[in-house]
Amino acid sequence: MRRVAVASCIGTTIEFYDFFIYGTAAALVFPTVFFPALGATAGTVASFATFAVAFIARPVGAVLFGHFGDRIGRKKTLVSTLLLMGISTLLIGLLPGAGTIGVAAPIILVLLRFAQGFAVGGEWAGATLLTAEYAPPGKRGLYAMFPQLGPAIAFALSSGTFLFTGMALGDTNQAFLDYGWRIPFLFSIVLVGIGLYMRLAIEETPVFRAESSAADIASAQDPAQKRTLPFLDAVRFQYKEILLAAGALAIMFAFFYMGTAYLTSYATKTLGFDRPFVLLVGIASSVVFGISIILSALYSDRVGRRRVIMVSCAFSVLWALALFPLLDTGSPVAFVVGMMVTLAIFGIAYGPCGALLPEMFATRYRYTGAGLGYNLAGVLGGAIPPLLAAPLAASFGGIAIGIMLAAFGLLSLVCTAAMVETRDRAL
């Protein structure tokens, strides 16, 4: 269990490190490097539009990798997602800017960002299944917490890497815009090597092995019985659970985007804080983020997943309306509080969902069903806010973003209330 827990945590850390450094770069340098002709505001909108592309790709990755994860196993599929993410991130770090290759630069950037989202779409479900299907009864929240910690560690790593690079080269120095921002992307290949070593060292889950053996025996006894596509089975038998999961977790992704990408841009461009301060706040906030994940996951083993996630949704509605009036005071302390509370509320929901989604679906299409629910939530909460946030702020001020987030919170609260508690289900 220790080996599985560590391997799943390292794997998601690497995947989300690659994902986060893109968000940080989109806030700090991509408007200048890839969209210089659009100006500051339009360049930021275009930059975050490429950020949103990955969330569109995630359900596609969930279907494809889910198919193989339900057919050939969790372990082999997770090795593939890690390789795809690592190669895509490395190529972004090597990609010339618009000043060198013109319009081809942003086009290639969008394609590589799609590949990143495609990989993450298959990563999360497999990593959580790896721990949830190994976990002993009554401790599924505890063990499914380890892959959930990956984003918190990754956010600290990505902010720290950009902070170190910026301090070494100078944030306002042309060297940072020319090549300094590339270092975090190139460094990711080292992490991928570590992740591959860890994942190749673990065995397939006993739950999958038992299911696969039972299916083989059934088909041998009755050749007329053929395995159907996991995607079709998931949509046919549990489409309600997929849609409820997507709605319930939408606010989680909206806060994820706000806390890890948009607030970085808002703080530097609108509030006027310098980059080192904003990155240091990101590192400190990731600690709060991680603590909230741990506590909520452990508590979900006692009181249930649904109740904990409903608390997060209720807090999110209230906090969304208070966040931007607080930030617009211009106080550095207000920004620190805003960042930390936003990620803490996200963490309260994120901790239990590592056990919740695997518990919601049957074994033969669990990878596909859990991945679809999770990544459709990513489309709702992770793709729409990046496209709307900058125009809303420019036209109506930050409070408009808060109203949008509150609407997502209400949607998630209703969907979570309609779900069935899964804590005591056997996998």
Side-chain angles (χ1 to χ4, degrees), residues 70-71 208-223 225 227:
D70 285 323
R71 284 295 180 82
F208 177 80
R209 291 200 303 267
E211 177 70 20
S212 183
S213 297
D216 290 341
I217 292 171
S219 61
Q221 292 175 345
D222 185 3
Q225 290 189 18
R227 294 189 187 184

Side-chain angles (χ1 to χ4, degrees), residues 3-270:
R3 186 186 301 171
V4 169
V6 171
S8 64
C9 183
I10 288 177
T12 53
T13 297
I14 295 164
E15 295 267 4
F16 280 93
Y17 168 82
D18 291 354
F19 208 71
F20 283 151
I21 57 175
Y22 189 101
T24 305
L28 299 180
V29 298
F30 281 2
T32 304
V33 174
F34 292 105
F35 305 100
L38 298 180
T41 302
T44 301
V45 173
S47 184
F48 280 121
T50 66
F51 182 85
V53 163
F55 289 97
I56 304 297
R58 288 171 72 152
V60 184
V63 172
L64 181 67
F65 287 115
H67 173 84
F68 291 108
D70 285 323
R71 284 295 180 82
I72 65 174
R74 312 338 187 180
K75 173 184 171 178
K76 294 177 182 177
T77 306
L78 284 171
V79 169
S80 302
T81 63
L82 191 60
L83 281 172
L84 178 59
M85 175 61 89
I87 293 170
S88 302
T89 305
L90 177 67
L91 291 177
I92 290 174
L94 296 173
L95 180 62
T100 304
I101 60 173
V103 72
I107 293 173
I108 297 172
L109 181 68
V110 168
L111 293 175
L112 292 174
R113 181 60 175 167
F114 187 92
Q116 278 192 321
F118 193 69
V120 170
E123 163 68 24
W124 182 86
T128 53
L129 262 60
L130 201 64
T131 51
E133 290 185 343
Y134 261 113
K139 294 185 177 181
R140 204 174 293 137
L142 166 65
Y143 284 104
M145 167 194 76
F146 284 94
Q148 302 300 84
L149 282 174
I153 300 170
F155 188 45
L157 278 176
S158 65
S159 297
T161 308
F162 272 101
L163 178 65
F164 175 78
T165 304
M167 290 175 66
L169 299 175
D171 277 350
T172 58
N173 195 310
Q174 189 62 36
F176 183 76
L177 292 176
D178 288 342
Y179 64 87
W181 67 269
R182 301 178 185 275
I183 294 173
F185 288 85
L186 301 179
F187 175 69
S188 71
I189 202 67
V190 177
L191 299 178
V192 169
I194 297 171
L196 282 175
Y197 173 78
M198 292 298 300
R199 285 197 166 167
L200 290 171
I202 58 176
E203 298 178 1
E204 186 56 75
T205 71
V207 172
F208 177 80
R209 291 200 303 267
E211 177 70 20
S212 183
S213 297
D216 290 341
I217 292 171
S219 61
Q221 292 175 345
D222 185 3
Q225 290 189 18
K226 294 182 179 180
R227 294 189 187 184
T228 56
L229 293 174
F231 170 73
L232 295 179
D233 277 353
V235 172
R236 178 184 176 188
F237 296 113
Q238 291 195 267
Y239 70 92
K240 290 182 181 178
E241 284 82 356
I242 292 172
L243 294 176
L244 284 176
L249 302 181
I251 185 58
M252 184 183 79
F253 277 95
F255 269 48
F256 159 87
Y257 158 69
M258 294 304 300
T260 60
Y262 185 75
L263 289 186
T264 300
S265 175
Y266 193 80
T268 54
K269 293 182 171 60
T270 303

